[in-house]
Amino acid sequence: MRIGVFVCWCGSNIAKTVDVEKVVEAAREMPGVVYATDYKYMCSEPGQNIIQDAIKEHKLDRIVVASCSPRLHEPTFQRCVEAAGLNPYMVEMANIREQCSWVHDRTPEATQHAIDLVRMAVAKVAKNEPLTRSRLGITRKALVIGGGVAGIQAALDIADAGYPVVLVERTPSIGGHMAQYDKTFPTLDCAACILTPKMVDCASHPLIEIWSYSEVEEVNGFVGNFEVKVRRRAKSVDESKCTGCGLCLEKCPVKDIPSEFDEGTGTRRAIYRPFPQSVPNKPVIDRDHCRYFQTGKCGVCQKICPVGAIDYEQQDQVVTEKFGAIVVATGFDVWRDERAMAQFGYGKYPDVISSLQFERLMNASGPTDGKIVRPSDGKTPRSIAFISCVGSRDEEHGYPYCSKVCCMYNAKQALLAKDKLHDVQTYVFYMDIRANGKGYEEFVRRTIEEYGANYIRGRVSRVYPDGDQLVVKGADTLLGRPLEVRVDLVVLATAMKPHDDAKELARKLGISTDQYDWFSEAHPKLRPVEVLTDGIYLAGACQYPKDIPDTVAQASGAASKVVGLFSKEAILSEAMTAYVNEDTCVGCGLCVEVCPFGAIELVEVVDREKSTRDNQVMKKVARVNEGVCKGCGTCAAACRSGSARLRGFDTKQILAEIDALADAALAGRQ
Amino acid sequence: MFEVENKIRQEAKRVLENGLVELVIGWAPGSVPFRTTPVFIDRPEDVDKLVWNPVCANNLAVYLPKIAKDRKVGIVAKPCDIRSIVALIQENQVKRDNIYIIGLGCAGVVDPSRLELAGVRLSDVTALDWAADGIKVITLNGEQLLKSTDVHRDMCLACTKREPALFDVKFGEAVLPSEVKPRELPELPEERQKYWSEQFSKCIRCYACRQICPNCYCEVCFADRVEPKWTAKKAVPEENWMFHATRAMHLAGRCIQCGECERVCPVGIRIAELMREMAEAVKNKYDYEAGDPNEEAPLLGTFRENDVDPAQHS
């Protein structure tokens, strides 16, 4: 055994706290070590050359690099030694930066600590065994969950690169929130004008299948080889026959269902499509409200349909399909907690509405054909107050985070209101204006300076009615005085929040969420599109509030990750995976329960052949799917019988580390 | 007692005769009247060996993982034994379909070593039975009525779960203890350490506690492993600590409080007290009780949103 130890200064990160030369000296005395040296940046090209040259010159067969966290540079040094002819798993990292120099002052203890860490790594590497990664195939077909602008963009980009995509959307139409908007900041492009062509592109793309009115039920498998169960809910309309003529939509007798798409500002029928430009453009029957499904009597749509497309007998279908990658683009919900918004009278006074409802009132395809009117009496408002940060930046009632887009849509809505109603007076109550995007600050200035919006810095304490008007009571903190404004309409910039069932989807996908249930990215800066589960990518506001340009950019980023994955010949599996000693496994199944990746299952094996009875004695044992295993070691920690083991972290390796440390301590820290 | 005993025998006969089970595990008279012994009955004509009395101590669930693996087995079980069965089902050691549970309402089991202390001449004893407010000992010289608190096992004095939680048929009435005996452990950590050091120093490493425990079903116990050698075989205090502490951790959230470990310990280590301490911690922190058929999975394999982080609440 010939171990080489390479101690890194990390510039001054390590060297200013730890006496690197002393660590090298101590390493030379450790069992099995034949060579030790130090260098300023071991990860740099000259540093890696030092390692590779030493491997050749001193015939090293095991390497310890004492530097930073293995999370940062383990792959770097694995590649380095592999290039010099060693198995990449013959490298151990001693983390003398995060776990040593950064937490100590320059003291002898710091150096001693570094020596101990190196001693443990040397003891461990002596027990390392070469590991190999196997090659796994890839199903080159992507699943995109969520048909908003993020999902649409991701699906188009992946399909344009030549790979088939299934776009799953929960509602009857793709389009998402963007389809609800009137115009978009800061360019005031009509949202529908820029979105609907993309929706049509999706529908007509030969490589994209849109599964609307569908939800993901179960996700199994691993990168390149996911197996996904999708429930395709019964639309009660035979899509192969329906021409989308819309006759049924006019004749359905159930007329008064609040339209989800219009945020309750308008109504829809029991057979409906969310909006005229829906994709697919064929209606569905909402069975919870349909008179036929509720009472068994009606059938008007079936009688009137000229092509006989109405099918009341249709059943949900659960489809299982294989995918190589998954893009999660499920977007956001808006905060609707009426109780928490009681101070603003939301849900109590009809003329207090949410920004998304106001968006529908402004929209030419909305319930009022784009006329801004008060929900209470249909009159044109002469004054409107926009209140920002409703539920955002408000730990007490809502969420502590900033919803990021409200400042901008407040400005947009104030501008558009003025544009449509020339003599309206607009007030915007704000905490501070966050307008950091291309053209954003200029846009807000334009709303204030050219469109006469009255921006008032201060929080609103209460909204209450007075006659047929509303009084907005708050404070102007710039002038330092209380303030009351009488207006005809109040618009609340409600917070963006994760869907209520975001956590459930996260669980199905095996990905993590943050404290609010937004999906967590793999690294906040360097891996913002990936999650910790390989082959699953995030796009859009399901991760955190985002505006449309950021959403589209991330969607294209996610798509490029998928395309990058699909363009590989094969996937290399993890080498440091768990395995089970089936002889000692008692099949208690605890490892199955604790595995965060669903990589372990119980299988029945022959325990022994029996001569007295003409049957075999079977037993259940745990078995690891090494393609799914990420080598976290939870199973090995949970296993009482010591049957679950982790390659690269075998008990004998861990004990060697502990023994090395204990021996040093017992010997009085030589 | 005899009524319940007869019902057990009839039921055992019935399930053996109609082929519902191949074997019934129960208790038979022991070598002396104040003890019983496990019995395995596979012929209907042998069912009269079965008994039910206050010294039916053994938790017979310990035999299930091996015996009920590939055949249907009937088992006569007290409520605590049934909790063991539930735990074994949850941990995939037996299939519910393979066992037929003859469940018994319980009135507490007697610790024979306490009879003498209560003034009974053991050589005179001919039978024991439950009485309205205690234990009736029938001796050559007549009957003696003893208080439950004087002669019950510690585990039974602390037990309030005397109704079978899972069964195919149930006989007998549960009688709850008039008061629950509190734990007797010292409060201060250093005193506790001393207490357990003294307890464990007595250990001769016979592993009776492990062998009798239905939950200790590993084919190769950590204590028997040679590579790595987690604990040496010699009975010295530090190795004893390693054995008992590790065994306790392996049973954390799993022990169902039958007290068999303590009953069979030849040197009287208060192992059940340690287990009870652990079970109470689990109950307080996670609102979980091992052996509850309403729980779907073992505690350590279950994650709930409101689970406390023990690191923050210790």
Side-chain angles (χ1 to χ4, degrees), chain A residues 577-652:
Chain A
T577 50
Y579 65 100
V580 173
N581 179 346
E582 295 186 358
D583 290 342
T584 57
C585 175
V586 276
C588 74
L590 186 60
C591 53
V592 178
E593 305 280 349
V594 300
C595 175
F597 304 100
I600 310 180
E601 59 179 345
L602 287 179
V603 295
E604 202 150 55
V605 297
V606 177
D607 190 17
R608 61 199 153 90
E609 308 281 344
K610 252 184 155 177
S611 50
T612 51
R613 301 156 82 96
D614 51 345
N615 60 353
Q616 296 165 318
V617 180
M618 306 299 287
K619 74 166 188 173
K620 277 199 170 158
V621 294
R623 195 169 281 171
V624 179
N625 181 338
E626 289 174 17
V628 187
C629 176
K630 305 294 286 177
C632 70
T634 309
C635 54
C639 182
R640 290 181 292 271
S641 68
S643 307
R645 299 279 185 93
L646 183 62
R647 292 187 184 86
F649 289 91
D650 202 81
T651 313
K652 65 183 182 201

Side-chain angles (χ1 to χ4, degrees), chain B residues 50-164:
Chain B
L50 291 168
V51 297
W52 170 235
N53 59 48
V55 286
C56 287
N58 291 57
N59 181 347
L60 305 171
V62 68
Y63 301 110
L64 288 178
K66 289 268 184 287
I67 288 178
K69 189 160 257 174
D70 56 345
R71 69 184 121 190
K72 298 214 170 199
V73 171
I75 181 167
V76 189
K78 303 186 292 295
C80 49
D81 311 341
I82 289 171
R83 292 200 303 277
S84 278
I85 297 172
V86 170
L88 290 170
I89 293 169
Q90 286 169 348
E91 297 181 5
N92 298 310
Q93 300 307 305
V94 287
K95 290 196 193 88
R96 176 68 183 94
D97 295 347
N98 272 7
I99 43 174
Y100 186 86
I101 303 172
I102 300 171
L104 301 170
C106 185
V109 169
V110 163
D111 177 349
S113 69
R114 291 191 176 163
L115 291 173
E116 233 171 350
L117 295 174
V120 176
R121 268 183 66 143
L122 285 178
S123 55
D124 292 349
V125 175
T126 58
L128 285 94
D129 194 2
W130 287 282
D133 47 357
I135 294 290
K136 187 168 66 183
V137 183
I138 302 151
T139 68
L140 297 171
N141 311 318
E143 285 184 10
Q144 237 176 308
L145 193 65
L146 304 175
K147 266 168 63 184
S148 301
T149 42
D150 289 341
V151 292
H152 272 322
R153 298 166 55 192
D154 277 351
M155 221 52 174
C156 298
L157 291 175
C159 171
T160 55
K161 296 198 191 65
R162 293 184 171 185
E163 279 290 345

Side-chain angles (χ1 to χ4, degrees), chain A residues 143-452:
Chain A
L143 171 68
V144 177
I145 308 172
V149 66
I152 290 171
Q153 185 65 44
L156 283 172
D157 286 357
I158 296 166
D160 281 346
Y163 300 108
V165 179
V166 169
L167 178 57
V168 170
E169 164 60 38
R170 154 150 77 179
T171 70
S173 171
I174 62 169
H177 279 110
M178 188 174 167
Q180 295 176 282
Y181 304 153
D182 180 26
K183 294 189 167 55
T184 55
F185 60 80
T187 51
L188 296 181
D189 287 306
C190 147
C193 310
I194 55 177
L195 179 68
T196 48
K198 277 188 185 290
M199 291 162 60
V200 175
D201 286 351
C202 266
S204 59
H205 202 297
L207 289 177
I208 298 178
E209 274 182 71
I210 298 173
W211 294 0
S212 59
Y213 218 45
S214 303
E215 283 189 74
V216 170
E217 288 226 318
E218 199 180 312
V219 180
N220 291 306
F222 51 95
V223 55
N225 300 278
F226 292 108
E227 202 174 274
V228 183
K229 269 191 195 156
V230 178
R231 175 172 294 270
R232 303 196 63 180
R233 284 164 64 199
K235 296 180 173 178
S236 317
V237 174
D238 184 340
E239 283 187 296
S240 63
K241 290 183 187 159
C242 176
T243 59
C245 71
L247 205 55
C248 52
L249 308 176
E250 288 165 25
K251 300 295 179 192
C252 173
V254 187
K255 300 174 179 174
D256 52 351
I257 307 161
S259 156
E260 296 85 356
F261 186 78
D262 285 332
E263 293 291 323
T265 59
T267 56
R268 63 165 171 84
R269 313 250 176 155
I271 185 164
Y272 75 111
R273 54 187 172 216
F275 52 106
Q277 297 79 28
S278 290
V279 170
N281 202 17
K282 295 165 185 175
V284 301
I285 293 179
D286 169 4
R287 292 187 173 182
D288 294 339
H289 289 100
C290 171
R291 194 170 287 173
Y292 178 83
F293 280 98
Q294 293 304 314
T295 67
K297 292 190 195 101
C298 181
V300 169
C301 48
Q302 194 172 47
K303 282 175 213 134
I304 204 136
C305 179
V307 292
I310 306 295
D311 178 4
Y312 296 132
E313 306 302 317
Q314 224 179 49
Q315 299 288 323
D316 286 7
Q317 278 185 307
V318 179
V319 186
T320 305
E321 186 113 357
K322 287 195 162 162
F323 298 100
I326 299 172
V327 176
V328 186
T330 47
F332 66 97
D333 199 354
V334 291
W335 197 54
R336 303 167 196 273
D337 189 341
E338 287 180 10
R339 199 133 50 110
M341 283 188 266
Q343 56 175 341
F344 303 121
Y346 183 74
K348 193 168 170 195
Y349 313 129
D351 294 334
V352 179
I353 60 174
S354 74
S355 296
L356 203 49
Q357 289 173 322
F358 189 69
E359 205 72 44
R360 294 309 299 153
L361 291 183
M362 288 197 300
N363 196 307
S365 68
T368 57
D369 297 329
K371 280 204 278 294
I372 301 173
V373 292
R374 284 159 43 109
S376 62
D377 51 15
K379 283 186 192 158
T380 305
R382 280 157 301 153
S383 52
I384 307 173
F386 297 90
I387 303 175
S388 51
C389 300
V390 175
S392 310
R393 304 176 72 193
D394 182 356
E395 214 156 342
E396 197 185 336
H397 301 99
Y399 302 92
Y401 57 76
C402 166
S403 289
K404 203 173 173 183
V405 295
C406 324
C407 285
M408 289 312 299
Y409 69 63
N410 271 338
K412 177 194 74 177
Q413 293 183 341
L415 185 150
L416 291 174
K418 187 75 181 171
D419 196 47
K420 284 186 186 243
L421 315 168
H422 292 289
D423 53 359
V424 77
Q425 177 58 54
T426 55
Y427 302 90
V428 179
F429 288 86
Y430 69 100
M431 284 166 73
D432 27 46
I433 302 168
R434 300 188 165 181
N436 52 348
K438 191 174 180 180
Y440 286 11
E441 180 63 21
E442 300 92 313
F443 182 81
V444 175
R445 298 314 312 168
R446 198 169 138 211
T447 302
I448 298 171
E449 287 158 16
E450 293 175 32
Y451 287 80

